[in-house]
Amino acid sequence: MKEAKIKIRNVSFYYGTKLALNTVSLDIYANQVTAFIGPSGCGKSTFLRTLNRMNDLIPNVKITGEIIIDDVNIYDRQIDVVNLRKKIGMVFQKSNPFAKSIYENVAYGPKINGIHNKKVLEEIVETSLKRAAIWDEVKDRLHDSALGLSGGQQQRLCIARTLAVNPEIILMDEPASALDPISTSKIEELIFQLKELYTIIIVTHNMQQAARVSEMTAFFYIGELIEYGKTKKIFTNPEKKQTEDYITGRFG
Amino acid sequence: MKKWTNKLTGGIMVGTTALSVVIIIAIIVVMFVVIIIGGKEQISWKFLTSFPEDGMTKGGIFPAIFGTALMVLLMSVAAVPFGTITAIYLTEYAHENSFLSKCIRFAVKTLAMVPSIIFGLFGLGFFIKFVGDGMDHAFLGGHLKWGQPNILWASLTMALLTLPVVIVSVEEAIHTVPGSLREASLALGATKWQTIRKVVLPGARSGILTGTILAVSRGAGEVAPILFTGAAYYLATLPHSVSDQFMSLGYHIYIMSTQSTNVDQTLPIQFATTLVLLMLTFILNFTAVIIRARLRRTPK
């Protein structure tokens, strides 16, 4: 197997004194989709947010262990969090476009990176929207408000906005949980295409979704990583009883 | 038996609350009717655009309108940026429970409770006697220019008075900007300041506007802070620079009803001036209410 893109070593995470993640270790590989599954409150979203240091924004949290991305520990003192987040994009559970035009939403990231050339920006916006499979739906109304789009379109716009920064890794926190089945299948199709170019990590409540889109699956339960392996194996022949109980729907 | 007393208490309560409401509405209606009846004869285009005449017993109130407008403009230029920056610090940078943020919040609350005449005295002592005199001695060799009442000192004094209004409105508006948008911006690799400038402040725009309007409507009506710091009894010309004194609507009403050579003769002018001031603050407040309602309606 190829070299891991992200190496997580003994990561524990605390909200105040409450332990939310207990010594989690796993490797995530490039150009694959890795799914995190588990019941609500199992720590999978918390874990996802440690990967781009979004949890830094919450007061009174503590993290121990190492997260090494491309041979660099992202919790090292010298790490510039702003640059880290440019490399690791994130798509949230609830679509959160800015109250700006479709164009401005996608151009936001490049602009804060100092790109102001109109032609370059237009190109980035077009490429990103095409990659997010929403270009055909919005190309005639790029300068209309993004808030006028449907929920599914907004989520794909948010994906386009993330792609515009040209990240290497994309974190998705239940990106389709608020969407209807048609929009969900569009997002899944999109994830399938995007893994050619990006390393994708997706948190999901939807077991079928994890089975459909991912190569690797990690099952979390109450802050512990119970089982991690090839999605096929996890879903057909899990090693641990807890995993089997969860995926067969006996709890959670 | 119990039922009967319950009914009686209920009836009394309903009666009392209804009476209070009626009294409050009646006071407002009577006030408006009296002022409108007293002033409507006097109000005309000419009244609004001409200078006072004959020892202020005739003529218009243009210099007072102009002075009030200029004063609230200068006041806004000082209070709005300062208040906005304070609000940004309190909401985005300070920790909710840190000692410093508690101190600032306490100071803002206290500032809002200080009687307005105290602001006037402070303005006189600080801006005119300390800053103004200091400037005269430092730059003009003691020649009296800044060490006396003028519209700049009056506006700055008024800015201190209205600062809490601005801070509270902007803070409220910043809180309505959803956290998910901040997260989206930060996740794209924006710095905190970029996020504030490009996402938070545009989202809080209407709140900043509301705060400005409320501050203006408060500042336009206050007299005490400008009493010693810049308002003039009568001026034959409009202020030419910020070191000139000015006439103001509120102060004009005050002097005409207490210091005028002939109070009875100026009565219609008093009513009309009051009506102008009242309409001005009413319109400003109403605009603020509308903007605020629209702000609340925007989905989180």
Side-chain angles (χ1 to χ4, degrees):
Chain A
M1 203 160 211
K2 51 193 166 171
E3 174 87 4
K5 176 89 176 159
I6 308 173
K7 292 178 204 148
I8 294 120
R9 296 289 175 266
N10 301 319
V11 166
S12 295
F13 190 87
Y14 302 83
Y15 289 110
T17 52
K18 190 180 161 284
L19 181 69
L21 284 172
N22 190 6
T23 50
V24 173
S25 298
L26 66 121
D27 285 352
I28 290 167
Y29 299 95
N31 299 102
Q32 281 193 347
V33 178
T34 305
F36 294 171
I37 59 168
S40 300
C42 68
K44 58 193 190 302
S45 280
T46 301
F47 184 52
L48 189 75
R49 284 164 164 260
T50 60
L51 300 178
N52 67 342
R53 294 187 58 175
M54 250 359 219
N55 286 326
D56 287 16
L57 304 172
I58 308 165
N60 294 321
V61 296
K62 202 183 99 189
I63 184 164
T64 60
E66 284 185 331
I67 295 176
I68 295 154
I69 300 180
D70 293 335
D71 299 320
V72 181
N73 181 3
I74 62 164
Y75 281 89
D76 209 84
R77 259 173 200 277
Q78 286 117 32
I79 289 293
D80 179 4
V81 183
V82 169
N83 279 328
L84 175 78
R85 293 192 187 131
K86 283 173 187 159
K87 190 173 154 178
I88 307 167
M90 186 163 197
V91 177
F92 297 84
Q93 180 172 5
K94 231 182 108 198
S95 60
N96 50 2
F98 302 125
K100 302 173 191 279
S101 71
I102 294 165
Y103 178 92
E104 285 299 329
N105 262 280
V106 183
Y108 182 88
K111 274 188 178 171
I112 55 170
N113 282 324
I115 299 172
H116 290 290
N117 184 318
K118 216 178 152 217
K119 263 199 117 164
V120 178
L121 280 176
E122 274 170 10
E123 233 177 84
I124 293 174
V125 170
E126 187 175 334
T127 318
S128 308
L129 288 169
K130 276 180 177 160
R131 279 190 189 163
I134 190 180
W135 172 252
D136 289 332
E137 291 158 64
V138 300
K139 64 177 180 229
D140 299 321
R141 46 169 174 155
L142 288 178
H143 296 283
D144 292 358
S145 170
L147 303 180
L149 298 173
S150 73
Q153 288 173 325
Q154 285 191 7
Q155 193 61 299
R156 276 178 286 146
L157 175 67
C158 291
I159 293 173
R161 183 175 65 183
T162 304
L163 300 181
V165 190
N166 211 7
E168 293 170 25
I169 301 163
I170 301 174
L171 310 176
M172 297 187 172
D173 191 357
E174 300 184 40
S177 67
L179 302 179
D180 60 84
I182 295 171
S183 302
T184 302
S185 76
K186 277 187 183 162
I187 300 267
E188 286 178 12
E189 225 168 89
L190 180 57
I191 292 170
F192 207 75
Q193 287 162 16
L194 289 174
K195 71 176 182 192
E196 305 278 320
L197 298 160
Y198 309 93
T199 303
I200 295 172
I201 303 165
I202 180 171
V203 163
T204 180
H205 264 301
N206 182 332
M207 232 85 59
Q208 285 79 28
Q209 187 171 64
R212 280 192 300 261
V213 301
S214 71
E215 274 88 24
M216 300 290 280
T217 295
F219 171 61
F220 287 84
Y221 186 62
I222 331 182
E224 312 247 1
L225 174 64
I226 305 295
E227 191 169 348
Y228 177 53
K230 293 203 164 150
T231 301
K232 229 179 222 163
K233 182 160 188 312
I234 295 269
F235 279 93
T236 52
N237 188 20
E239 273 168 22
K240 301 265 171 64
K241 185 156 186 320
Q242 276 165 306
T243 316
E244 194 182 339
D245 285 350
Y246 183 69
I247 58 168
T248 51
R250 235 164 282 165
F251 77 92
Chain B
M1 203 57 192
K2 190 98 190 281
K3 223 174 174 182
W4 181 80
T5 45
N6 274 352
K7 255 189 183 163
L8 185 70
T9 332
I12 291 173
M13 285 314 293
V14 171
T16 326
T17 47
L19 190 67
S20 318
V21 171
V22 169
I23 289 173
I24 288 169
I25 293 174
I27 291 171
I28 294 170
V29 169
V30 168
M31 204 160 78
F32 261 84
V33 167
V34 167
I35 291 169
I36 289 170
I37 289 174
K40 73 173 195 301
E41 296 290 308
Q42 191 67 36
I43 292 268
S44 68
W45 182 244
K46 193 165 169 292
F47 178 73
L48 297 175
T49 55
S50 59
F51 274 67
E53 287 160 24
D54 290 343
M56 295 202 284
T57 54
K58 286 194 185 115
I61 52 165
F62 180 65
I65 296 176
F66 181 85
T68 301
L70 187 60
M71 189 270 291
V72 294
L73 181 74
L74 289 171
M75 174 203 83
S76 308
V77 167
V80 174
F82 197 56
T84 305
I85 290 166
T86 310
I88 290 172
Y89 176 77
L90 284 174
T91 49
E92 301 289 323
Y93 288 99
H95 287 284
E96 190 70 28
N97 291 318
S98 74
F99 180 69
L100 184 62
S101 106
K102 275 183 183 160
C103 278
I104 297 172
R105 275 175 217 282
F106 180 72
V108 171
K109 266 185 209 152
T110 312
L111 209 57
M113 289 188 299
V114 171
S116 52
I117 190 72
I118 308 294
F119 281 99
L121 289 171
F122 174 79
L124 177 66
F126 180 73
F127 290 123
I128 298 177
K129 290 295 163 201
F130 181 71
V131 181
D133 270 354
M135 281 164 69
D136 285 345
H137 281 106
F139 306 120
L140 302 169
H143 172 72
L144 186 67
K145 183 178 183 196
W146 296 105
Q148 56 188 347
N150 66 35
I151 192 164
L152 177 65
W153 301 143
S155 304
L156 291 180
T157 308
M158 199 64 96
L160 291 179
L161 178 95
T162 54
L163 203 52
V165 180
V166 178
I167 294 172
V168 170
S169 309
V170 177
E171 251 195 285
E172 203 177 281
I174 288 178
H175 280 306
T176 65
V177 178
S180 64
L181 293 187
R182 288 187 183 81
E183 280 192 335
S185 173
L186 293 168
L188 289 167
T191 61
K192 188 158 192 176
W193 173 238
Q194 283 170 329
T195 302
I196 291 170
R197 199 160 50 89
K198 300 199 162 194
V199 175
V200 177
L201 283 184
R205 214 165 27 200
S206 35
I208 297 170
L209 195 60
T210 316
T212 310
I213 294 172
L214 289 177
V216 165
S217 87
R218 173 94 200 270
E222 280 285 349
V223 177
I226 58 173
L227 205 54
F228 319 121
T229 54
Y233 180 85
Y234 171 74
L235 293 168
T237 56
L238 297 175
H240 296 299
S241 84
V242 291
S243 62
D244 284 339
Q245 284 189 280
F246 67 108
M247 289 176 74
S248 122
L249 286 170
Y251 187 56
H252 197 63
I253 295 166
Y254 167 68
I255 52 162
M256 275 196 303
S257 54
T258 59
Q259 324 274 302
S260 167
T261 42
N262 190 335
V263 175
D264 290 334
Q265 216 181 330
T266 61
L267 210 55
I269 302 182
Q270 290 175 37
F271 272 118
T273 313
T274 310
L275 187 58
V276 170
L277 184 56
L278 208 59
M279 291 313 288
L280 185 75
T281 44
F282 186 74
I283 291 168
L284 286 170
N285 274 308
F286 195 64
T287 317
V289 168
I290 291 174
I291 295 175
R292 187 168 283 203
R294 283 173 63 175
L295 182 80
R296 293 236 168 93
R297 234 186 292 139
T298 47
K300 291 221 162 182

